Amino acid sequence: MQGLLVLVLVLQIAAALAMIALVLVQHGKGADMGASFGSGSSGSLFGATGSANFLSRSTAAAATVFFASTLALAYFGSQRGAVEQGSVLDQAASPASSASAAAVVPSVPSAPASGAALIPTK
C-alpha cells in the first residue's frame, strides 16, 4: 500500500510539472493575429493549428492524470486516517486532551453585568 501511495504521488507531481510546461509552451489565441500583420512570419490569418492541437490534447491528458491521481491520494488519505487515528472530533473530545488544554489556558474572570460595578466605591 505504501509503494502504491508513493507511485501515485510521483505520478501526480510529474503530471503537474507536465501541465506547467505545456501551458507555458502554448501561445495565446491573439498571438497569431499580430504575427499576420507584420510582426512575424505567418502563412494565414490564424496561423498553423497543428502544433496547438497536439499541445492542447497533451495538456488535457496531463490534467486528466493529475485529477485522477488527486482523487486516488484523497482516497488513500481517508483510508489511512480512519484506520490509524480515528476522526478529528474523537481526538478533540478525549478527556486527556481537554484536561491538558484546561491546564494550559488559565480561567478568565467574567465581566460584571452592569457598567456601574466597574467604578470602585469607597
Side-chain angles (χ1 to χ4, degrees), residues 62-93:
T64 303
V65 170
F66 179 79
F67 287 130
S69 63
T70 300
L71 289 174
L73 286 174
Y75 176 75
F76 289 144
S78 68
Q79 292 299 315
R80 185 177 59 185
V83 172
E84 290 180 5
Q85 54 191 340
S87 72
V88 176
L89 294 176
D90 291 339
Q91 289 178 358

Side-chain angles (χ1 to χ4, degrees), residues 27-51:
H27 57 277
K29 298 284 183 192
D32 291 333
M33 210 151 162
S36 67
F37 291 118
S39 66
S41 62
S42 177
S44 67
L45 181 64
F46 297 108
T49 60
S51 63

Side-chain angles (χ1 to χ4, degrees), residues 95-115:
S97 65
S98 63
S100 63
V104 172
V105 178
S107 63
V108 177
S110 61
S114 67

